[in-house]
Amino acid sequence: MEVFDLDHVDRAILRVLQEEGDISQAALAEKVGASPASCWRRIKALESAGVLGRTVRLVDADKIGKGLNVFCQVKMKTHDPATRRDFEQFIASYREVLECYSMSGEWDYLIRAVVADVREYEGLLMRGILTHEAVLSSSSHFSLKCVKYTTALPTNVTR
């Protein structure tokens, strides 16, 4: 995978956009010390290179009744590529599943699901995840509180 060559202005743009995705071009330019036209060109180049993806708004899970984070480890019966692809497509179909990682170590997958309560998670687990023919076992862990959560990646720009 090719790494895009970022200078200090590109890194500053990334830092600001990750915190304020709806910032105006003029305000962004002022914060990073560049002209609005230069910022626009840089953003377009970062988008074209795939460094910047789509713009989204973050939703407060508690305010919409989806405040329970559950981390589910899954162990597979088999590891053949076709079965793994099938399982990954199966998991991707669940809107409650926000993240799914193929893992090294004892467990094959780590899933993060966001639900309203334990009953809703039980449904996802018992009538969803565990029904897949390739799943051998699972282990669920319920978050007590969020200590740190960010979507912003480090850009090596000092404050």
Side-chain angles (χ1 to χ4, degrees), residues 117-132:
D117 53 29
V118 174
R119 179 169 290 181
E120 185 179 345
Y121 179 67
E122 179 189 21
L124 171 64
L125 182 66
M126 303 305 271
R127 291 184 297 280
I129 295 168
L130 293 179
T131 65
H132 193 280

Side-chain angles (χ1 to χ4, degrees), residues 1-140:
M1 181 174 287
E2 184 180 336
V3 176
F4 192 78
D5 187 28
L6 302 170
D7 66 16
H8 74 284
V9 176
D10 291 330
R11 291 179 189 281
I13 288 170
L14 292 178
R15 182 181 47 81
V16 172
L17 287 178
Q18 288 185 96
E19 296 297 324
E20 303 174 65
D22 60 349
I23 192 170
S24 71
Q25 292 287 331
L28 175 62
E30 186 176 319
K31 282 191 175 203
V32 302
S35 72
S38 172
C39 281
W40 183 84
R41 282 191 302 276
R42 287 171 177 268
I43 288 170
K44 291 301 170 196
L46 291 166
E47 288 172 347
S48 293
V51 174
L52 282 175
R54 60 192 169 94
T55 302
V56 299
R57 296 295 303 259
L58 301 178
V59 175
D60 185 319
D62 288 324
K63 295 213 188 304
I64 64 165
K66 298 290 183 181
L68 182 60
N69 272 285
V70 185
F71 297 89
C72 177
Q73 296 169 301
V74 173
K75 192 175 291 186
M76 306 295 282
K77 292 176 186 173
T78 180
H79 297 97
D80 68 89
T83 300
R84 292 179 69 87
R85 268 192 311 277
D86 181 62
F87 176 76
E88 290 169 8
Q89 290 173 348
F90 172 77
I91 285 300
S93 72
Y94 286 93
R95 294 191 55 91
E96 302 92 338
V97 173
L98 300 187
E99 299 173 79
C100 179
Y101 299 94
S102 176
M103 303 296 289
S104 65
E106 183 179 346
W107 296 93
D108 298 308
Y109 288 95
L110 176 63
I111 296 167
R112 177 175 160 242
V114 177
V115 292
D117 53 29
V118 174
R119 179 169 290 181
E120 185 179 345
Y121 179 67
E122 179 189 21
L124 171 64
L125 182 66
M126 303 305 271
R127 291 184 297 280
I129 295 168
L130 293 179
T131 65
H132 193 280
E133 61 188 22
V135 172
L136 176 65
S137 62
S138 72
S139 176
S140 300

Side-chain angles (χ1 to χ4, degrees), residues 142-157:
F142 296 85
S143 171
L144 300 177
K145 76 175 184 178
C146 180
V147 176
K148 179 180 179 181
Y149 173 78
T150 184
T151 60
L153 297 173
T155 58
N156 299 330
V157 173

